[in-house]
Amino acid sequence: MKLATKMAALAAALVACAITATPAAAQEPVRMVLMSQANEAGFPLWLANKLGYFKERGIDAKIQYFPNGGAALASGASGDWQAGWIGAPPAITGWAKFGLIPVGTMMKEDRNIKLIMRKDALKGSSPKDVLQTKPIGTVPNSTWSQVLFACAKHFGVDPARMKIVPLEPPVTRQSLHSGQVASGTTDSSPDYDLVNDKANFEVVCDGKVAGTSVVDPYIVTRAFAQAHPDVAAKFVDAVYRANELVQSNRDQAVKYLLEYYKDVGIDGNETKARYTLGYRDFQTLDQALADMRDGATQKALTETAEVFVAGGAYDKVPDLKGAVAAGLPLIEAAKKLRR
């Protein structure tokens, strides 16, 4: 039996046993350090903590913020944090390196990650021409690269022939403003000024237009899932409750997002809050569970992993079928908690 299959079977057995645990055991609070990043994608984790969803499920949660998902991997492998949100590329790397388990899609970013071009570069030209002849800013081996390559193919351009300038997100936006690059990938809400400056910039493509799926999964470390499968399922239930509030009550979500901005030091306002929530598609538990069951999550993560293979970061796509199989019992257990 393959390791991934064994892990999935073990997870299912552990969750089944944990659900029958005694009430006394279930009442003991369990300490969890949750990995996040101080950006708008980390909002639901903060919201679940703010609204007491973790506490209601017997979880004593502390959120630890990292500059990016890659920076958090080593500490996750050593047990410094147990669950949270990390981004698709680090989640894939974490699964391959130490069995980091995806427990459904936190957020879909098909529309959020955009390819923007300067109007002066487009004058008398086309998106295809710009992609073939002008410098393009993007983050290497990332979902931004994934969308860029998909958009290139959408316009009939060989990605290998593009003049890509490897840049971090803030520098990409600055380079677009200054004209150092003719086009680049962005996301909300930091790209608000670019997207709404229609005299100088144009959004020519995004993941949805290009037909590529971009997802950010919630994750749980294998060690924690094996030691506390019942609590892992309760974590899953709590974070999707926060997602569902964002989906169902936008006005209330905006108010909380403004509070989150102040709490984690994001430069934002109500306009930007409404803007970013219009692009970030936070998923319900039922939506995430359906995608885990029907192969959509595996397909989306595979598309991202293929960018890493093309970029030389991976020799081959990791066993993402095994990753989804390991996480499925936990999200199914979270669903049972709601019955």
Side-chain angles (χ1 to χ4, degrees), residues 22-314:
T22 63
Q27 290 173 2
E28 292 295 327
V30 176
R31 174 81 166 172
M32 290 185 74
V33 177
L34 306 179
M35 184 275 158
S36 188
Q37 299 170 44
N39 57 36
E40 285 143 326
F43 173 51
L45 274 174
W46 176 91
L47 185 60
N49 202 33
K50 165 74 176 179
L51 299 180
Y53 295 162
F54 294 129
K55 186 176 181 181
E56 288 175 21
R57 287 301 191 185
I59 298 171
D60 179 11
K62 175 186 177 182
I63 300 175
Q64 184 172 353
Y65 294 96
F66 288 81
N68 54 65
L73 281 178
S75 60
S78 64
D80 292 342
W81 51 265
Q82 291 75 48
W85 162 77
I86 198 170
I92 294 167
T93 301
W95 164 254
K97 297 297 184 182
F98 65 97
L100 189 62
I101 301 172
V103 286
T105 295
M106 173 188 77
M107 172 179 64
K108 293 185 177 182
E109 291 198 90
D110 300 10
R111 293 179 55 251
N112 187 41
I113 301 178
K114 319 167 193 72
L115 177 61
I116 292 181
M117 291 187 176
R118 290 179 58 90
K119 285 286 187 70
D120 55 7
L122 280 167
K123 189 174 182 180
S125 188
S126 68
K128 180 177 181 178
D129 294 333
V130 172
L131 289 174
Q132 287 179 322
T133 62
K134 305 291 185 181
I136 307 156
T138 195
V139 181
N141 291 324
S142 69
T143 51
W144 285 29
S145 296
Q146 177 184 342
V147 170
L148 173 59
F149 296 161
C151 285
K153 293 175 182 177
H154 171 73
F155 288 118
V157 175
D158 180 358
R161 299 184 63 183
M162 294 189 298
K163 299 178 180 179
I164 295 176
V165 182
L167 300 172
E168 289 301 307
V171 184
T172 297
R173 291 186 288 271
Q174 292 167 8
S175 298
L176 277 166
H177 277 294
S178 66
Q180 291 176 300
V181 296
S183 64
T185 46
T186 71
D187 68 356
S188 64
S189 68
D191 67 8
Y192 177 84
D193 293 340
L194 289 165
V195 171
N196 288 279
D197 183 359
K198 300 185 185 303
N200 295 302
F201 301 97
E202 181 177 339
V203 178
V204 298
C205 185
D206 57 29
K208 184 175 182 179
V209 169
T212 191
S213 297
V214 183
V215 302
D216 290 311
Y218 283 120
I219 44 88
V220 176
T221 65
R222 179 172 59 187
F224 187 80
Q226 291 177 346
H228 302 283
D230 56 330
V231 183
K234 291 173 181 178
F235 160 79
V236 174
D237 168 60
V239 290
Y240 282 108
R241 281 181 67 189
N243 277 23
E244 288 152 7
L245 184 149
V246 174
Q247 243 197 48
S248 64
N249 193 330
R250 186 56 51 86
D251 288 342
Q252 189 175 8
V254 167
K255 291 179 181 178
Y256 283 126
L257 184 52
L258 293 176
E259 190 175 340
Y260 173 69
Y261 283 163
K262 293 180 180 178
D263 199 27
V264 300
I266 295 175
D267 181 17
N269 53 40
E270 183 174 347
T271 299
K272 287 186 176 182
R274 290 189 180 279
Y275 170 76
T276 196
L277 291 181
Y279 279 102
R280 296 178 181 272
D281 188 9
F282 292 105
Q283 299 290 282
T284 67
L285 177 60
D286 286 342
Q287 289 171 329
L289 179 56
D291 282 355
M292 290 280 276
R293 285 173 171 167
D294 69 12
T297 301
Q298 180 186 339
K299 179 178 182 293
L301 292 175
T302 298
E303 288 183 28
T304 301
E306 288 171 346
V307 174
F308 279 66
V309 173
Y314 292 158

